[in-house]
Amino acid sequence: MIRALRSDYFCLAESKRACGLVTSRAPASRGALWAFGFCHLLLMNTSDSEEDSYNERSALVQSESPTIPSYNQDHDMSLPQETDTKRRRTVSSGLVEPGPVEREQASTPDGEEEELTLKYGAKHVIMLFIPVTLCMVVVVATIKSVSFYTEKSSQRLIYTPFEEDPNSVGQRLLYSLLNTIVMISVIVFMTIILVVLYKYRCYKFIHGWLILSSLMLLFWFSFMYLGEVFKTYNVAMDYPTLVMIIWNFGVVGMICIHWKGPLRLQQAYLIVISALMALIFIKYLPEWSAWVILGAISIYDLIAVLCPKGPLRMLVETAQERNEPIFPALIYSSAMVWMVGMADSSNPDSTDERRRNEGGARAQEGVESEDDAAQGGRRRYSAEEELEEDRGVKLGLGDFIFYSVLVGKAAATGGDWNTTLACFVAILIGLCLTLLLLAIFKKALPALPISITFGLVFYFSTDNLVRPFMDSLAAHQYYI
Amino acid sequence: MTLAVFFGCAFIAFGPSFALFVFTIAKDPLRVIILIAGAFFWLLSLLLSSLVWFIAIKASNSQDLSLQRGLLIFGVFFSVLLQEVFRFAYYRLLRKANEGLAAISDDDGSAISVRQMAYVAGLGFGIMSGAFSMINILSDSLGPGTVGIFGDSQYYFITAALMTLALTLLHTFWGVVFFEGCEKSRWWVIAAVVGLHLLVAGLSLLNPLYEGSLPPVYVITLLMGVWAFFSSGGSLQSLNALCTCKI
């Protein structure tokens, strides 16, 4: 069934995936096929829109947010009335607004706030460096060892319908541009649908969509991945064991991501699914299209977040007005909040819109006992510790995915490790700069453009300029 | 060309810098950021110097081997100069950042001192330089092959690893000394660092005559280590205290 679904929906011819893992199946029903396909579509969109929305949200303070008192103007006024929610909201806006500290000292000079910004900024940058690095390491390790993901097949995603002809440069360029236009239009269209659904409060639909997408990632893509790894290392594996492994992996993943689970496990699962998604992109996007798509998506991100009428911005503003969290399942969060004590839905969820402590989702799913215990426990902490606990960061999974696609493609083409390393450093520096700009401008900024730009610049220049230079130096053993 | 060579060379080249990273840098986020930014600056300098070299290569006759070699040597020296320029640029950037941090901190000091930043920046340069020199060679050493089949030296891998180690340590020491020289406005120190870097690069031009390149480079490394130690505030008393465990 899976095989038939794949071959129909993805318009793929089943490749030389011999033996082993695929057995004959009954033909797929049309309904199942559409459900599966829709899942895939949703998934593609979701990752991006999540990324987009989370870029918006993963940015720092939105200065036009109606619910957050602007730090500079209102904090004096809002201090006396600050309830727990407000405090948490301001606190959790991450790098810029240290709420509790502000409460501790009645009049906090801007300087201290900024210093806290920078001190906590460094910690948050590292809290993001580590998962991004891990995701890239997983992708690069897979690319370098499992040849499946670098084999070019005639199969393509339906989002990139034009096949690139390696012989003609002009045609290749044209087709990659067309592919990019198709892909970006699909993404924009899906984001608009999402916004419309959200506006008309079709929450069940959205949640179902998300669950279907993560189901597909956790079961189908990991099954494929595991199959390829076994093939590479020539490991003999029987179906019952495989089913057990995939079943356990998938179910625990669904629980951790959509419900409750240990923080580290949830983070690990999110990293793994981002890596899997990135590997799929690397495999199925044609060569030049991938690069153009990377560039185009960062431009789209920039436009969608900074333009007043962007779908992202509307989504975020709607969520703010309603005080609801958005899509808790597809953000990477680095710290747990047990202090989001409000069990009702009027939780500060503009919490979900920026870098802050999550838990929002978990709290909302009714972690009552945890909240009570947390409430009690929280009061015993010093403000300092609360501040520490509060300041987790969040980053959208789409960011992870596209960073890993860039580094993975750098690793896949050419086999030169210098290029991969250069792209890796460039992306990390881009992330660092993005956070710095956020701290300076105090405005919502997208996370993709700077990193992807640096990554692309470094990829092309290292591949074409530095590589011959370093190769010549190594040949003569000259050292610079 | 086996795992033994791979692991041996990897540990020789990257062992000390990895240890330095784990013990002194990994715990402090600010230092990690400064390290990665240092690596980025080194990368930028390499990029620019490769660009210049590439243009020179394309503009010249590719059949003339001695010209190509000459251009490569020019590339080496130009790259060294550019690295030092970028080291200075990084120094200025770090000073600004440090001033910013100090200005807004209420306890009259910033989270990190210039000397620590000098060390971390130097290590960043060193790690990146070492990685770029060594990683491709390491990955080649995993695969099949015969070293020196065309008459080159058989000691390629080990000498590459040793040279990489020396350069990593040298970059660290140069970072410390350079920043100290900039702080105290002692321009002769800066000139000495640049001169020594050029000297080390020049010595590497003697390869594969390893007797001419490796021992002198290690002597220079040792001397630089001593200079960096004294320049960053160490003294014989502190060494003594260390040895007799009085710290």
Side-chain angles (χ1 to χ4, degrees), chain A residues 188-221:
Chain A
V188 171
F189 178 63
M190 283 301 186
T191 314
I192 292 178
I193 290 189
L194 199 67
V195 173
V196 163
L197 282 176
Y198 193 70
K199 262 194 145 65
Y200 290 109
R201 299 177 187 266
C202 310
Y203 296 137
K204 283 207 162 37
F205 192 80
I206 296 179
H207 282 306
W209 170 345
L210 282 179
I211 287 181
L212 275 177
S213 325
S214 34
L215 261 177
M216 195 176 78
L217 263 178
L218 283 169
F219 288 96
W220 174 231
F221 286 153

Side-chain angles (χ1 to χ4, degrees), chain A residues 89-269:
Chain A
R89 204 179 301 147
T90 49
V91 163
S92 36
S93 55
L95 301 176
V96 182
E97 299 186 345
V101 176
E102 177 199 336
R103 282 180 77 185
E104 290 294 308
Q105 301 137 9
S107 59
T108 311
D110 271 342
E112 168 155 340
E113 159 207 347
E114 275 179 51
E115 185 211 336
L116 279 159
T117 299
L118 285 162
K119 265 194 200 152
Y120 285 103
K123 204 163 121 202
H124 292 149
V125 171
I126 299 303
M127 281 201 262
L128 285 182
F129 272 9
I130 295 178
V132 168
T133 307
L134 277 173
C135 191
M136 289 194 221
V137 162
V138 169
V139 169
V140 170
T142 308
I143 293 273
K144 289 288 188 189
S145 54
V146 178
S147 60
F148 171 71
Y149 289 102
T150 42
E151 280 163 9
K152 280 303 145 200
S153 60
S154 56
Q155 307 158 357
R156 286 185 313 283
L157 296 173
I158 59 158
Y159 311 110
T160 52
F162 298 96
E163 180 171 5
E164 287 179 14
D165 173 16
N167 299 322
S168 146
V169 172
Q171 194 218 41
R172 207 170 183 187
L173 201 57
L174 178 69
Y175 278 7
S176 55
L177 281 170
L178 290 173
N179 278 337
T180 310
I181 292 176
V182 170
M183 183 110 181
I184 300 284
S185 338
V186 167
I187 291 174
V188 171
F189 178 63
M190 283 301 186
T191 314
I192 292 178
I193 290 189
L194 199 67
V195 173
V196 163
L197 282 176
Y198 193 70
K199 262 194 145 65
Y200 290 109
R201 299 177 187 266
C202 310
Y203 296 137
K204 283 207 162 37
F205 192 80
I206 296 179
H207 282 306
W209 170 345
L210 282 179
I211 287 181
L212 275 177
S213 325
S214 34
L215 261 177
M216 195 176 78
L217 263 178
L218 283 169
F219 288 96
W220 174 231
F221 286 153
S222 54
F223 169 70
M224 233 172 74
Y225 178 80
L226 214 52
E228 291 309 321
V229 168
F230 288 149
K231 261 192 232 165
T232 305
Y233 292 107
N234 207 18
V235 172
M237 174 65 70
D238 54 313
Y239 268 114
T241 314
L242 186 67
V243 165
M244 277 285 283
I245 294 175
I246 298 286
W247 174 252
N248 280 300
F249 178 78
V251 169
V252 174
M254 290 299 289
I255 292 177
C256 271
I257 295 173
H258 291 277
W259 193 46
K260 296 186 261 197
L263 180 69
R264 292 288 176 222
L265 198 58
Q266 189 204 28
Q267 292 173 338
Y269 267 106

Side-chain angles (χ1 to χ4, degrees), chain B residues 175-194:
Chain B
V176 172
V177 169
F178 191 94
F179 278 37
E180 196 69 22
C182 288
E183 283 280 291
K184 305 244 167 57
S185 298
R186 290 187 193 144
W187 308 114
W188 64 269
V189 166
I190 297 176
V193 167
V194 175

Side-chain angles (χ1 to χ4, degrees), chain B:
Chain B
M1 301 283 292
T2 55
L3 274 185
V5 170
F6 172 76
F7 279 113
C9 291
F11 289 143
I12 289 177
F14 296 119
S17 41
F18 182 66
L20 284 173
F21 176 77
V22 165
F23 289 122
T24 59
I25 298 192
K27 296 257 162 34
D28 187 357
L30 201 51
R31 291 183 196 176
V32 175
I33 295 175
I34 296 178
L35 184 90
I36 298 193
F40 181 71
F41 269 75
W42 187 88
L43 202 57
L44 275 178
S45 81
L46 180 67
L47 204 70
L48 285 176
S49 49
S50 321
L51 178 66
V52 167
W53 174 81
F54 192 77
I55 294 175
I57 286 285
K58 287 298 174 194
S60 68
N61 179 16
S62 59
Q63 306 304 324
D64 186 355
L65 286 176
S66 65
L67 177 65
Q68 297 296 310
R69 198 153 166 271
L71 281 175
L72 190 62
I73 295 177
F74 160 72
V76 166
F77 288 122
F78 184 72
S79 174
V80 167
L81 288 173
L82 216 55
Q83 282 177 47
E84 297 304 325
V85 166
F86 271 79
R87 204 196 295 275
F88 184 69
Y90 194 40
Y91 164 75
R92 297 296 292 268
L93 181 71
L94 283 177
R95 281 293 309 220
K96 273 224 167 66
N98 207 23
E99 275 163 21
L101 272 176
I104 62 182
S105 153
D106 41 300
D107 57 344
D108 276 343
S110 77
I112 190 168
S113 74
V114 177
R115 279 179 176 161
Q116 290 173 358
M117 287 198 296
Y119 158 68
V120 175
L123 190 60
F125 268 57
I127 288 181
M128 203 60 181
S129 157
F132 259 64
S133 315
M134 200 62 196
I135 294 243
N136 275 333
I137 296 177
L138 279 179
S139 91
D140 282 340
S141 77
L142 269 177
T146 307
V147 189
I149 199 171
F150 290 120
D152 302 307
S153 162
Q154 324 164 9
Y155 300 112
Y156 184 81
F157 289 122
I158 191 110
T159 51
L162 287 168
M163 196 70 189
T164 305
L165 169 66
L167 265 178
T168 307
L169 291 174
L170 274 172
H171 270 292
T172 313
F173 300 145
W174 281 330
V176 172
V177 169
F178 191 94
F179 278 37
E180 196 69 22
C182 288
E183 283 280 291
K184 305 244 167 57
S185 298
R186 290 187 193 144
W187 308 114
W188 64 269
V189 166
I190 297 176
V193 167
V194 175
L196 278 172
H197 196 170
L198 285 168
L199 179 64
V200 167
L203 281 173
S204 79
L205 292 176
L206 289 175
N207 281 332
L209 183 68
Y210 299 123
E211 299 83 354
S213 68
L214 276 177
V217 167
Y218 270 88
V219 166
I220 294 178
T221 310
L222 225 59
L223 292 174
M224 277 304 306
V226 170
W227 186 5
F229 177 73
F230 285 111
S231 149
S232 61
S235 63
L236 288 171
Q237 285 95 334
S238 55
L239 262 183
N240 198 21
L242 173 70
C243 293
T244 55
C245 297
K246 280 207 191 103
I247 295 183

